[in-house]
Amino acid sequence: MSLTASITAPARIIRYSAANALADMRHMYTWKTWTFGWLGRMLAQVTFFAFFGHVIGSADQTRYLLVGNAVMTCVIESMMVIVSTTWERRVGTLTLLSAAPAPLSWVFIGRSLQWPVSGTLTSLAALFGLGPAFGVHWRAGQILPVTALVVLTAATTYCFGLFVAAVAFNADGARNIISNATYLLMMAVCGVQVPTSYWPDWVRVVAQAIPLTQTLKAIRSVSGGTGPALVPACWAVLLGVGWLVAASWMFQLMARRGRRTGSMGTGA
Amino acid sequence: MRIFLTGFRFQLRVAWGSPDTLQICVTAPLFTLVFMAIAEHAERPDLAPFAIVSPTLMSLWTLALFIAGELIGDERRSGTLEALIAVPARLSTLVIGRICAVTTLGLLSFAEAWLVAGLVFDRWLAVRHPLPFVLCLVVTALAMAATATIFSPLFILMPSARTVQNTLTYPFYLLSGVLIPVAMLPFWLRPASHLIFLSWSGDLLRDSLAAPAPHDVAARLAAVLALGAVSHLIGMALLHRVLRRVRRLGTLSHS
């Protein structure tokens, strides 16, 4: 395969798969149900946690919770890749996909792209729309870097979510549980609600391997003007690429196992 | 009563191994972990009751919304609704029995939350006023079961409501003060909060865990029961409307 073909072939498959993702999104939401239903729900979630800062009685804590939970909304949506990866099996197309010569991972990389896109919009609405109401004000120069970092958070979390989806490839019934448990653990240890330094060393080490920890550090650096954002952002990129490679490898492994055991159409 | 207990036992068996019930068993401790971490990091151990009560009420609400809300629809999809309606036993009694089983399971999340606070953060919370506490848990479970009777027929009457099923969580948690006391919500939101039974339940449960004796216990319990009763009446009216409609349209066994 030539170099050009080795790039265009996956890109074409990912594009087709992303078109499916977009169709799913259109089927699920209209702009009204997304705005007043989904976005409203996520903004309520951010407000819910930010209000806890009010209960604590600390303006700093309120701002910390607002930023953390606003960024968390794109993580929650990106982690929905764990759930939507099962949809191919449910509609009976997984056996056909596994019989096709293209790697399964290319299909799944594009198949749930609606989530990070929608998640990015949700996070930006929460940060820039809801933030000022809780004392998080933005200067013009901060908007672009924060937007780029939110996109990076959604993209790298999607890569991490793909890996978890691949690990849980045959556990159809537990998809929602795995998705919810994973994002709640991330919410606890990645610096969303409390700084990572609050947790024991071993938890902190695990948290460093999750892209959210790095991107959130970068976003807090930009919003507070407390330090360089480039270093954690670069770490997030590296981690995102690493998780994507691991996810591709895991999908191949699971596909091989599924073909061998004849469980591609039925799951475990 | 026999029909109620039959529905209760049946639902316990169904729900025990269902992914939705397991989800609550997993998410309730994790929510406690999150809330407790915030409170402990802020050096506010007095907020531990908030961190324990909140996941309990959230779990009850989630179960009501996602399991109880699907009861009638599931029977209809599996083609068993016709048989259930044809038998002389009242469907509403059976449904209430099943929903009560779901909310009873939801109460287990309190034990989980209490254990997480103790095991992870070494905050072994004493229930200082056990009688109001237990009474409040019981009437809350009853009011939740009564409220859940609204969802099941509603999702059949308005299929579009299912699209926003997930959106009925956090806006509701916020409004009903499951984590934040109603007194701390904006002034203009408070009247609406008082119309949701969870706001009374949350306040009384937290007060029962605190040192001072809770005040007006009987009146607050009565408020939870009264609001639950109103929800139940609405739920029953909706259920009858659904049954009339599917009979008239001949779609008892169609989803």
Side-chain angles (χ1 to χ4, degrees):
Chain A
M1 192 189 276
S2 72
L3 182 66
T4 316
S6 66
I7 294 169
T8 54
R12 187 167 48 84
I13 293 167
I14 292 170
R15 198 178 73 237
Y16 288 154
S17 205
N20 267 337
L22 185 66
D24 269 334
M25 194 68 179
R26 280 188 176 150
H27 175 71
M28 223 176 299
Y29 293 109
T30 60
W31 72 266
K32 277 184 193 167
T33 56
W34 187 88
T35 309
F36 299 108
W38 180 252
L39 182 63
R41 180 251 189 236
M42 295 310 272
L43 294 182
Q45 177 169 339
V46 178
T47 310
F48 176 81
F49 282 101
F51 256 129
F52 202 37
H54 274 317
V55 178
I56 290 166
S58 155
D60 283 346
Q61 188 74 17
T62 303
R63 283 192 289 272
Y64 189 92
L65 289 170
L66 187 285
V67 171
N69 285 285
V71 175
M72 190 66 209
T73 58
C74 79
V75 172
I76 292 170
E77 282 194 71
S78 297
M79 293 303 281
M80 281 164 77
V81 59
I82 299 169
V83 177
S84 55
T85 299
T86 56
W87 292 352
E88 293 298 332
R89 198 195 300 273
R90 283 196 188 166
V91 294
T93 47
L94 189 59
T95 43
L96 294 172
L97 288 171
S98 66
L104 213 51
S105 56
W106 295 353
V107 176
F108 285 121
I109 287 170
R111 188 64 186 83
S112 302
L113 275 175
Q114 74 273 36
W115 305 131
V117 174
S118 166
T120 300
L121 295 174
T122 310
S123 276
L124 294 177
L127 282 169
F128 299 132
L130 209 55
F134 288 90
V136 180
H137 299 283
W138 303 97
R139 291 190 306 276
Q142 289 174 314
I143 290 174
L144 197 60
V146 167
T147 304
L149 287 167
V150 168
V151 172
L152 183 64
T153 306
T156 52
T157 301
Y158 183 67
C159 297
F160 174 65
L162 272 170
F163 175 75
V164 181
V167 171
F169 193 61
N170 287 320
D172 275 9
R175 290 263 157 182
N176 282 325
I177 299 172
I178 293 167
S179 170
N180 288 337
T182 311
Y183 89 65
L184 280 170
L185 279 171
M186 290 165 75
M187 192 188 254
V189 304
C190 291
V192 176
Q193 316 289 4
V194 291
T196 49
S197 56
Y198 171 76
W199 298 104
D201 287 346
W202 68 271
V203 176
R204 222 179 306 168
V205 168
V206 173
Q208 295 306 318
I210 300 170
L212 171 66
T213 308
Q214 309 297 337
T215 54
L216 200 48
K217 201 186 291 176
I219 290 170
R220 291 196 195 282
S221 296
V222 174
S223 70
T226 52
L230 194 62
V231 175
C234 289
W235 271 114
V237 172
L238 282 176
L239 286 168
V241 171
W243 285 117
L244 187 63
V245 171
S248 300
W249 177 78
M250 187 57 75
F251 272 122
Q252 279 175 30
L253 187 77
M254 288 297 180
R256 269 205 303 275
R257 188 178 291 174
R259 285 190 199 106
R260 199 172 56 241
T261 57
S263 62
M264 286 304 273
T266 55
Chain B
M1 193 62 190
R2 194 166 52 83
I3 300 163
F4 175 89
L5 288 175
T6 303
F8 190 91
R9 280 196 297 267
F10 172 76
Q11 190 61 38
L12 273 187
R13 278 203 296 272
V14 170
W16 190 248
S18 90
D20 287 311
T21 313
L22 288 175
Q23 182 158 309
I24 294 304
C25 293
V26 173
T27 55
L30 292 174
F31 272 118
T32 312
L33 189 74
V34 167
F35 297 140
M36 281 297 296
I38 299 171
E40 290 290 318
H41 176 255
E43 296 177 349
R44 291 288 305 272
D46 57 306
L47 294 178
F50 289 73
I52 291 176
V53 168
S54 180
T56 310
L57 298 178
M58 288 162 76
S59 300
L60 278 173
W61 180 253
T62 309
L63 281 173
L65 200 58
F66 290 95
I67 296 189
E70 298 295 336
L71 283 184
I72 305 286
D74 284 346
E75 294 295 344
R76 200 170 171 218
R77 277 186 288 274
S78 59
T80 45
L81 188 59
E82 275 175 324
L84 282 174
I85 286 174
V87 296
R90 283 183 62 174
L91 179 66
S92 56
T93 312
L94 193 72
V95 167
I96 293 164
R98 291 181 65 180
I99 290 174
C100 281
V102 172
T103 49
T104 305
L105 281 176
L107 290 179
L108 291 177
S109 57
F110 174 77
E112 285 186 302
W114 185 81
L115 276 173
V116 168
L119 291 171
V120 181
F121 299 93
D122 202 24
R123 299 281 175 206
W124 296 101
L125 230 63
V127 180
R128 292 174 191 272
H129 308 284
L131 187 62
F133 184 82
V134 172
L135 285 174
C136 188
L137 272 186
V138 172
V139 296
T140 301
L142 285 173
M144 187 63 81
T147 307
T149 56
I150 295 177
F151 299 132
S152 207
L154 184 72
F155 292 151
I156 293 175
L157 278 175
M158 297 168 61
S160 58
R162 186 176 279 108
T163 312
V164 291
Q165 192 174 13
N166 198 28
T167 68
L168 293 173
T169 49
Y170 277 92
F172 192 87
Y173 299 153
L174 191 62
L175 191 63
S176 60
V178 298
L179 181 65
I180 305 112
V182 173
M184 296 197 76
L185 289 176
F187 183 72
W188 52 273
L189 267 180
R190 289 178 210 167
S193 296
H194 285 307
L195 292 176
I196 302 171
F197 75 90
L198 279 179
S199 64
W200 298 89
S201 302
D203 282 345
L204 185 51
L205 286 172
R206 284 188 288 263
D207 287 356
S208 304
L209 292 169
H215 58 88
D216 299 330
V217 174
R220 292 156 85 180
L221 290 173
V224 177
L225 279 174
L227 289 168
V230 171
S231 303
H232 180 64
L233 288 176
I234 297 170
M236 285 302 103
L238 282 173
L239 181 63
H240 289 304
R241 198 169 157 195
V242 161
L243 293 180
R244 265 203 317 274
R245 184 173 161 179
V246 292
R247 276 175 175 147
R248 195 176 66 242
L249 297 174
T251 55
L252 263 173
S253 55
H254 298 123
S255 56

